[in-house]
Amino acid sequence: MKVLIVYAHPEPQSMNGTMLSSAVNTLTNAGHEVKVSDLYAMRFNPVSDRTNFTTVNNPSFFKQQTEEVYASQMNGFADFIEDEQQKVEWCDLMIWQFPLWWFSVPAILKGWVDRVFAMGRFYKNGRIYEKGIFRGKRALLSLTRGGPEANYIKERYGTLEAILHPLQRGILEFTGFSVLQPHVIYGTEKQSTEELALEAETWKARLKDIFNEEPIMAINIEQG
């Protein structure tokens, strides 16, 4: 199978870096093809504007979705956007590896979505959710949290399901992906080196059987 890992962390020696290398090695050793978009190493610019495109539909007023549809028709995406789009179209499974910052993904990853997930290319009228363009593909969020799991309740931070809902339902399922149960490591700041090593082993074990997992449905959750 073909796996794309979108990695968003500036420090290679972080736990996210360990999770990335563990995933690449485990999946490759299992015979899968793996591509990585290391957004910080790529110095990916998250600011979405006319530089997304080589084509121009309306030079006097910039409306991104209109330009995206036009670029989809005219093969008019900038090369660095086209490269990322082709990776998403290529993969059977897409993994996002990131730390949860301010209850969301790092800005560089959100900007990657803003620029790469283009209307007309990744979604269009009548081609969302169950009829989405990426139906048949799977997606998985793998993330770390500095705080303990006990904080992720409705009365405090909100449930993790609610926090991840905009990503899982609003981006991934919206474009047709079947979303797998997120992989979450809590309390990375408090865990020992030995404990974090065990977390990495758990991740490796999961990945060995990842293509046999059943997807979740992110729509029926209580917003915390």
Side-chain angles (χ1 to χ4, degrees):
M1 306 295 278
K2 295 174 286 190
V3 183
L4 169 63
I5 305 176
V6 185
Y7 172 66
H9 199 289
E11 175 50 66
Q13 298 183 76
S14 66
M15 189 59 192
N16 279 271
T18 297
M19 297 292 279
L20 171 65
S21 60
S22 297
V24 171
N25 292 336
T26 300
L27 291 166
T28 301
N29 290 339
H32 304 297
E33 297 180 68
V34 181
K35 293 183 179 181
V36 176
S37 287
D38 184 341
L39 300 184
Y40 282 95
M42 293 161 58
R43 301 186 69 84
F44 186 87
N45 183 352
V47 178
S48 193
D49 55 22
R50 285 196 182 275
T51 60
N52 293 5
F53 314 104
T54 60
T55 51
V56 177
N57 181 59
N58 185 344
S60 61
F61 185 88
F62 178 67
K63 184 175 182 180
Q64 181 162 317
Q65 288 183 324
T66 299
E67 296 296 338
E68 288 175 343
V69 171
Y70 187 69
S72 298
Q73 296 167 346
M74 304 300 292
N75 296 319
F77 290 99
D79 288 345
F80 73 100
I81 301 292
E82 178 70 28
D83 289 346
E84 297 305 299
Q85 290 171 329
Q86 288 187 14
K87 291 177 189 176
V88 179
E89 292 166 338
W90 165 85
C91 73
D92 300 302
L93 169 66
M94 180 172 63
I95 300 172
W96 290 2
Q97 182 65 58
F98 63 95
L100 195 70
W101 286 353
W102 288 106
F103 299 88
S104 188
V105 294
I108 199 169
L109 177 50
K110 178 55 168 61
W112 179 85
V113 174
D114 290 346
R115 305 192 83 174
V116 173
F117 277 50
M119 186 175 188
R121 180 79 174 256
F122 281 17
Y123 68 98
K124 60 183 73 174
N125 291 336
R127 298 296 307 278
I128 59 174
Y129 293 117
E130 292 79 7
K131 297 181 180 179
I133 288 172
F134 294 134
R135 183 172 180 175
K137 296 179 182 289
R138 295 184 172 199
L140 165 63
L141 303 181
S142 175
L143 59 139
T144 60
R145 285 299 302 127
E149 184 174 4
N151 286 343
Y152 289 86
I153 57 176
K154 183 178 180 180
E155 295 75 16
R156 190 164 175 79
Y157 292 171
T159 64
L160 190 67
E161 290 81 3
I163 292 168
L164 297 181
H165 185 73
L167 305 175
Q168 295 187 140
R169 186 61 179 171
I171 297 173
L172 298 171
E173 289 185 343
F174 182 85
T175 53
F177 282 94
S178 296
V179 177
L180 302 179
Q181 187 71 31
H183 195 91
V184 186
I185 301 178
Y186 293 96
T188 55
E189 302 300 321
K190 301 291 179 63
Q191 293 199 53
S192 65
T193 301
E194 293 75 18
E195 288 170 328
L196 291 174
L198 288 175
E199 296 278 13
E201 291 303 314
T202 300
W203 177 228
K204 293 177 186 178
R206 181 182 179 185
L207 289 173
K208 289 177 181 178
D209 199 41
I210 196 68
F211 286 100
N212 292 320
E213 289 191 12
E214 291 296 322
I216 62 172
M217 285 296 294
I219 187 172
N220 295 317
I221 67 168
E222 179 183 1
Q223 294 296 321

